[in-house]
Amino acid sequence: MAELRSIDQQIREMRSKTTPPREIWLDIDDTVITLHGSQEGGAIGYNPRYHGRPSLKAKVAFIAETAEMLNLKAYNGKIHSNGGFLNFFQDTEQRLPRNYVLKGVRLDKGFFDEKNFDYFEERTYLYVCKVPLRGGLQKVIAYLNRENLWQRIDEVYSVAELTIPLPNWAKARRFVFIRQDLEAVTGQLYIQHPDFYKYQAIVTNIPAEDMPAEEVWRFYNQRGTCELWIDELKDGFAVEEASQHTFLRNEAYMLVKAIAYNLLLWFKEVTLPETIKSYQAETIRRGTYGDVRIVFKINICQICWPPR
């Protein structure tokens, strides 16, 4: 496995030499790999689609600006999203090409943890993380409503922000709150009622003067593409097909497929016309682009070893 990760790193380093130095953001998420057998490491945990089936989990880190997969690791199916996160993140840091500078990270609410934020702040990374709306924050939202501290963005959304500490936190942090107006039930008189709103919250260390509250929300929403990239790993490269019995073999197969994902991504960037660069692997493989498969074999080396 170490040799395979070394190959992945070498390919990425060679590819990075074809681009100028850059600052990047990371989008990190995890996904469920449902098992249909008794594979090693399988456990019954959170599974939104196949309730009660054993599964593995995979944490994945992407470069937000390019959609490149930077790191992928498999875990047993019971582990929480935040389980082992800092070890995963530190390993991801080591996999950054030398001419890439990490500016910040965007995270789903499963990674909401002060220990993570402390680490980012120590390393001077920016972060934008979705917040689970637990009891303490529900009280904050009630306060925002009571004091009418919302600023209207458009006909549907309003935004507010506070710098507050949560219980057991060592310091206050900046929270951005979003309120979405919901339509009243058909046939009922509409009144402003808590049930007619949907709320979101985001925590960040980006200063307000650098990114106003509305922009923080919109910037976080761009992270939604990360889920599309995970879908591409699954649908286009069969990352979720964990057919091997041992955990190590399944993780190795996942990584091989993730490397193939990057190779195709770079191939599309340097070879395909603009009109089909956004096409997914399945479309290229099964569409009317048979010549692409031939070109891919010829040009794949040029992605990592371009002509001088």
Side-chain angles (χ1 to χ4, degrees), residues 25 104-105 117 120-121 125-129 173 203-206:
W25 278 77
V105 57
F117 307 144
F120 298 149
E121 290 161 1
Y125 298 144
L126 300 176
Y127 58 84
V128 181
C129 182
R173 289 182 171 87
V203 64
T204 183
N205 63 340
I206 301 176

Side-chain angles (χ1 to χ4, degrees), residues 5 56-59 72-76 247 250-251 254:
R5 292 195 180 278
L56 300 174
K57 285 279 191 71
K59 285 185 175 64
L72 181 149
K73 279 195 172 183
Y75 300 83
N76 76 72
F247 179 87
N250 278 320
E251 185 178 38
M254 288 182 199

